[in-house]
Amino acid sequence: MSKKWDYSDIQNWGPGRHEVGATIPESGTADDYETGGWRTDRPVLDMEKCNHCMICFWGCPDSAITVKDSKLTGFALKHCKGCGICKAVCPRSAIEMSNEKIACELEEK
Ligand code: SF4
Ligand code: SF4
């Protein structure tokens, strides 16, 4: 949750506390929320094929590709929308899209 702005009770705000249009109190606030909840497909990485070129990283519109020490580590599924851009731009076919429902069922087993 944002440190500068206390909007923890935003559900109770009436019209008087909302600006016209969107209020974005500071950058990075989307990180506080799960925005990938309506994804129908999720990316799955084949680490054997990946050469860490980072083309998918730059192509992802949601900054949902995770990197550590200059190496691709996976996907932030809390924010990934399942758009498939990462799969489309990968030159090594290292990413496949998997049905979200089936992937969740497999995770629960
Ligand atoms: S574009 Fe493909 S090969 Fe390059 S980092 Fe992403 S998954 Fe790996
Ligand atoms: S599917 Fe879309 S949102 Fe998810 S990691 Fe790939 S490019 Fe990003």
Side-chain angles (χ1 to χ4, degrees):
M1 189 59 71
S2 169
K3 292 182 181 70
K4 290 185 200 162
W5 287 60
D6 180 9
Y7 47 90
S8 56
D9 64 338
I10 196 169
Q11 304 295 340
N12 302 320
W13 288 13
R17 288 190 67 183
H18 286 281
E19 301 291 333
V20 176
T23 300
I24 301 174
E26 61 186 84
S27 63
T29 52
D31 201 36
D32 294 338
Y33 300 97
E34 180 166 349
T35 54
W38 41 266
R39 183 180 55 241
T40 56
D41 295 286
R42 68 165 65 176
V44 177
L45 176 66
D46 183 341
M47 202 58 98
E48 296 289 314
K49 292 181 181 174
C50 176
N51 68 354
H52 306 282
C53 67
M54 298 298 152
I55 291 174
C56 60
F57 176 85
W58 296 112
C60 176
D62 285 294
S63 300
I65 292 176
T66 54
V67 174
K68 186 172 185 196
D69 298 331
S70 303
K71 303 275 187 195
L72 189 95
T73 57
F75 307 96
L77 294 176
K78 184 179 168 190
H79 300 296
C80 167
K81 309 295 189 300
C83 66
I85 291 174
C86 52
K87 171 185 161 64
V89 299
C90 176
R92 295 176 60 90
S93 301
I95 299 173
E96 290 297 329
M97 299 304 289
S98 176
N99 179 273
E100 181 69 19
K101 187 166 181 280
I102 293 171
C104 284
E105 286 170 359
L106 287 173
E107 269 182 359
E108 287 167 10
K109 286 182 182 173

